[in-house]
Amino acid sequence: MSATLEHTQPDTISAETLAQFIGTTRYYRYTMGLILTDGAAYLAKNGAAWLMDIVASARLVPAVRRAEFECWTLRVDLTKHCAEVVCTDGNGEREANILYRQPVGYTDFPLAELKLYVVADSDPGKVVMLTSEY
């Protein structure tokens, strides 16, 4: 059912590579009760474990912990190499309630934006996935 993440030489994260993840073949245990799909594990293995750590640490925020569904958005300023991570309840762009927000002072993440979904599953825990894996 699950595997652990192994350290390998990182690939370059690209939109084309991430678009290939359209489901998962296995789940990977992470920290703080998070489970990663193949796509989320790919991010963690290839230089974006810090993003998974932000999602994991937000479990300490009561509103995030209670949410059945979370939409996480990473917005990167590619020229200034800084970013912001925002978690909402996923209730549409205009109606969404912000559950958590964190600035990132420096990042070399190569994409201007990335969205992740985190879905509560009673069996394994909270599952982190790329939107294409939903």
Side-chain angles (χ1 to χ4, degrees):
M1 178 231 25
S2 67
T4 56
L5 295 174
E6 296 178 16
H7 181 69
T8 59
Q9 184 65 27
D11 291 335
T12 300
I13 296 170
S14 69
E16 294 79 22
T17 302
L18 296 181
Q20 295 177 33
F21 293 99
I22 54 169
T24 196
T25 58
R26 66 188 329 177
Y27 293 103
Y28 302 81
R29 293 192 183 282
Y30 202 63
T31 188
M32 303 279 295
L34 289 184
I35 307 296
L36 307 182
T37 59
D38 290 332
Y42 176 85
L43 286 171
K45 286 188 242 181
N46 290 287
W50 60 268
L51 180 57
M52 299 306 142
D53 290 344
I54 291 173
V55 174
S57 67
R59 309 268 75 50
L60 300 174
V61 176
V64 175
R65 188 172 49 246
R66 286 190 304 267
E68 293 290 316
F69 182 87
E70 304 159 31
C71 180
W72 287 83
T73 304
L74 169 67
R75 287 189 183 93
V76 179
D77 183 326
L78 296 172
T79 51
K80 294 181 181 176
H81 299 285
C82 61
E84 181 179 54
V85 180
V86 177
C87 174
T88 69
D89 61 7
N91 191 18
E93 284 292 317
R94 296 176 188 240
E95 303 290 323
N97 297 308
I98 294 175
L99 305 175
Y100 183 79
R101 180 184 305 250
Q102 180 173 329
V104 178
Y106 175 82
T107 182
D108 59 358
F109 192 80
L111 305 176
E113 184 172 284
L114 174 73
K115 288 189 183 277
L116 299 171
Y117 292 150
V118 179
V119 180
D121 186 321
S122 59
D123 188 30
K126 286 210 173 182
V127 180
V128 182
M129 64 190 75
L130 302 176
T131 57
S132 58
E133 295 177 296
Y134 185 67

